Amino acid sequence: MKITAVKSILTCPQRNYIFVKIETDQGVYGWGEASLNWSEFEVMTRLEQISPLLIGQDPTRIQDLWHYLYARTYWMGGSISMAAIAGVDMALWDILGKRAGLPVYQLLGGKSREGVVVYNHAIGSTFEETAEQVAAFVDRGYKVVRVQVGEYGGVGNRPQSYAGERAGGSAYLEPTEYFHAGAYIENVPKLFQYLRDQFGMELELFHDVHGKLTPIQAARLAKNLEPYRLMFLEDPLRPEHRESFRLLRQHTTTPLGMGEIMQSKFDLLPLFQEQLIDYYRLPPVHSGGISEAMKIAALAEPYDIRSAFHGPDDIGPVAQAAAVHVSRAIHNFGVLEWADYNTATHEVVSGISTPRDGLAYPQELPGLGIDVNEGLAAQFPYTRVPTPMVRRIDGTMHVY
Ligand code: CO
C-alpha cells in the first residue's frame, strides 16, 4: 500500500477547519484534521511543504512517518507543525482502521468505557441566566457543565466609573470585553454558591479563568472556590508562568486543569512529574495527532492525571471524532469538551456523533467513522471570524 495523494482543505461551514485527506493506491483513503484558529494559512502552507514527502510512502508506518515529519522541518515542534502533523497522523490511523476493518479505538487497545463523558458551556450574563443554561444541559443528560458569567469578562466587571473608556475611548476593531480582576475573584465563588444551592453538590461543575489572573490572584480564587467542589479550575494561569504553578498548588485543594494552548508532551511533562495539575487539556489535534495523544496519556497515567481535551467549535468534527476514539481507549480519561456543530457542518462532514445522556460514542465503523464531502466543503471558503479581545477596565490590553 502506498500513499498517492495528500490534499488539504480549508473550509468554513461554522468556523475555519482544515481537513487533510490521504489517498492510497488501493483506493482506501483517510481523513485527518489540522485546524488551528488564527493560523489557518500557516498550517496550510506547512501541509503543502510536507505533503510531497508522503507520496510513495507506506501509510501503515505511522510511527516512522510521524517522526520523519517531526524531524524533517528541523525547527521541531510549535503549534503549526504539530497541527499539520496531527492532520496527517489522524488520516493514517483512519486508513489503518479501514484496512483492518476496525474502529480506531480498537486499534488503540479497545474500549476502557462505553461512552465518554462530555461537557458543554453555560455562559449567561447573570447568575440566573447561567443557571437556566445549566438546567437545560442537565435536562439533556449532561453530567459536567462549565459555568461562566460572561465568557472572558466575567462577573460584575463593568463598574460605571470606567464608562468613559468604553464610550469615548479607542475604537476597537474587534468585540472587546472588560475584565476587573478584583470583582471577578469575589464574584466567581458567589456564582458557585448560587449554582450549588440550586443543583446540589453532585453535579460536576467547573470554571475557565482563561489565564487572566496573576499567580497570587489565581491562588486566592482557587482557595475561595474550595467549598464548591469544582471538578477543576481551568487555565488559572498562563502557560508561560510555569514556576507559579508550584505556588498555586501549595495554596489550594481545588483541582487544576491546564494546557489547551500548550503544544507537546515536552510542555506537559514537567507539570505531570511534579503533579502540579489534575487534568491536561492539550487535544490530539494540537499535539501531533492520535499517536502523540496516546503517548501523552501514558505519561500522565502513573500520576493519575486525566485528560480533559480542549474541544470548542473552532476544532472541527474530524478532530472531535479522533478525540472520542482516544478518550474511549485511554485508561486515564477524565472528560471531553464538546462542540455542537451547525447544519452546514453536518452536511460537509458525515458521521459526527451526537452525545446521548451526556456521553459521546465513536462510530462503530472502520477507521474514524467520518467522511468529508469535498465539493460541499469548497462552497464554504475561509472567513474571518471575530473573537472577543479582553482589556482591563482602564483600557489596558489584557494578555488573553
Ligand atoms: Co479554556
Side-chain angles (χ1 to χ4, degrees), residues 319-331:
Q320 185 185 66
V324 173
H325 281 272
V326 170
S327 296
R328 193 182 221 194
I330 58 177
H331 173 68

Side-chain angles (χ1 to χ4, degrees), residues 146 208 210 234-235 260 281:
R146 193 194 79 166
D208 189 353
H210 289 297
E234 178 179 342
D235 284 343
E260 72 184 43
R281 309 239 335 120

Side-chain angles (χ1 to χ4, degrees), residues 7-11 17-21 31 44 47 348 372-375 377-378:
K7 294 183 190 165
S8 306
I9 296 170
L10 174 54
T11 178
Y17 304 133
I18 296 172
F19 300 128
V20 179
K21 185 183 192 187
W31 283 106
M44 287 296 279
L47 282 163
V348 171
V372 179
N373 182 328
E374 292 169 72

Side-chain angles (χ1 to χ4, degrees), residues 146-351:
R146 193 194 79 166
V147 297
Q148 319 281 128
V149 170
E151 174 69 59
Y152 299 99
V155 206
N157 291 339
R158 294 171 172 80
Q160 283 309 306
S161 52
Y162 285 93
E165 157 60 24
R166 297 189 293 285
S170 331
Y172 302 130
L173 295 173
E174 295 185 289
T176 302
E177 294 193 12
Y178 290 86
F179 182 70
H180 183 312
Y184 172 79
I185 292 166
E186 292 310 310
N187 277 306
V188 174
K190 289 179 190 159
L191 168 67
F192 275 87
Q193 177 72 63
Y194 186 87
L195 296 172
R196 286 303 186 197
D197 285 347
Q198 193 168 331
F199 297 96
M201 288 300 286
E202 263 179 54
L203 180 66
E204 296 289 359
L205 296 173
F206 71 97
H207 176 78
D208 189 353
V209 179
H210 289 297
K212 293 191 304 285
L213 297 175
T214 67
I216 203 68
Q217 288 171 340
R220 180 182 171 85
L221 175 63
K223 197 171 168 177
N224 290 346
L225 285 171
E226 283 171 12
Y228 309 108
R229 198 193 65 77
L230 273 64
M231 185 179 187
F232 59 87
L233 186 64
E234 178 179 342
D235 284 343
L237 296 173
R238 297 276 309 162
E240 297 93 320
H241 294 157
R242 198 145 314 168
E243 295 299 310
S244 304
F245 271 78
R246 292 192 196 104
L247 176 134
L248 179 57
R249 195 63 157 176
Q250 283 158 12
H251 281 88
T252 184
T253 58
T254 292
L256 305 172
M258 184 73 197
E260 72 184 43
I261 53 174
M262 291 184 170
Q263 292 157 14
S264 75
K265 61 190 166 200
F266 299 108
D267 295 328
L268 284 168
L269 187 58
L271 298 179
F272 292 167
Q273 286 173 306
E274 285 194 60
Q275 291 183 275
L276 295 177
I277 58 173
D278 302 279
Y279 292 87
Y280 68 92
R281 309 239 335 120
L282 184 62
V285 65
H286 295 155
S287 59
I290 292 168
S291 303
E292 201 65 0
M294 293 304 289
K295 292 182 184 178
I296 292 172
L299 290 174
E301 192 190 296
Y303 304 104
D304 211 348
I305 295 169
R306 299 178 190 188
S307 67
F309 294 139
H310 181 59
D313 72 348
D314 59 28
I315 295 175
V318 179
Q320 185 185 66
V324 173
H325 281 272
V326 170
S327 296
R328 193 182 221 194
I330 58 177
H331 173 68
N332 50 327
F333 164 75
V335 70
L336 173 64
E337 183 173 11
W338 197 255
D340 293 317
Y341 298 108
N342 63 11
T343 311
T345 306
H346 278 269
E347 283 165 6
V348 171
V349 181
S350 58

